[in-house]
């Protein structure tokens, strides 16, 4: 994705951000990118990683709220005989 047409990170879905991040990693690992472009895509990669982390944390909190709202975990309480 070219820098001029790059979608703002905060407007991306988790899947879009992850796919772009994977592409950036491939480019950097190949080592065929000029230094200046490497720095620019590394910065974008850092922003994408932070976005993915935030989206995962948000999803985790939602699942936690669903579990708590449904009466808590489905494990049986310990028996105190």
């Amino acid at each position: 994705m070219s820098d001029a047409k790059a979608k703002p990170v905060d407007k991306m879905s988790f899947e879009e951000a992850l796919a772009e991040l994977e592409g950036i990693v491939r480019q950097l690992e190949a080592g065929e990118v000029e230094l200046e472009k490497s720095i620019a895509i590394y910065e974008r990669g850092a922003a994408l990683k932070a976005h993915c982390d935030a989206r995962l944390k948000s999803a985790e909190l939602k699942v936690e709220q669903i579990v708590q709202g449904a009466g808590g975990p489905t494990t049986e309480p310990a028996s105190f005989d």
Side-chain angles (χ1 to χ4, degrees):
M1 182 175 282
S2 71
D3 294 335
K5 295 181 182 177
K7 187 173 185 177
V9 173
D10 63 338
K11 303 291 185 203
M12 299 176 95
S13 69
F14 174 82
E15 292 79 10
E16 290 172 322
L18 185 59
E20 186 175 339
L21 182 57
E22 288 171 344
I24 287 172
V25 169
R26 280 192 296 277
Q27 285 182 311
L28 292 172
E29 286 180 342
E32 297 175 2
V33 182
E34 296 174 4
L35 179 60
E36 292 300 318
K37 184 170 182 181
S38 291
I39 293 168
I41 64 175
Y42 184 88
E43 287 175 339
R44 179 142 173 105
L48 290 163
K49 180 188 177 298
H51 179 70
C52 287
D53 286 345
R55 297 294 296 250
L56 283 173
K57 183 67 175 171
S58 175
E60 182 180 280
L61 291 173
K62 286 180 185 177
V63 168
E64 205 171 289
Q65 289 173 348
I66 291 168
V67 169
Q68 294 301 323
T74 58
T75 58
E76 303 253 343
S79 174
F80 297 105
D81 291 314

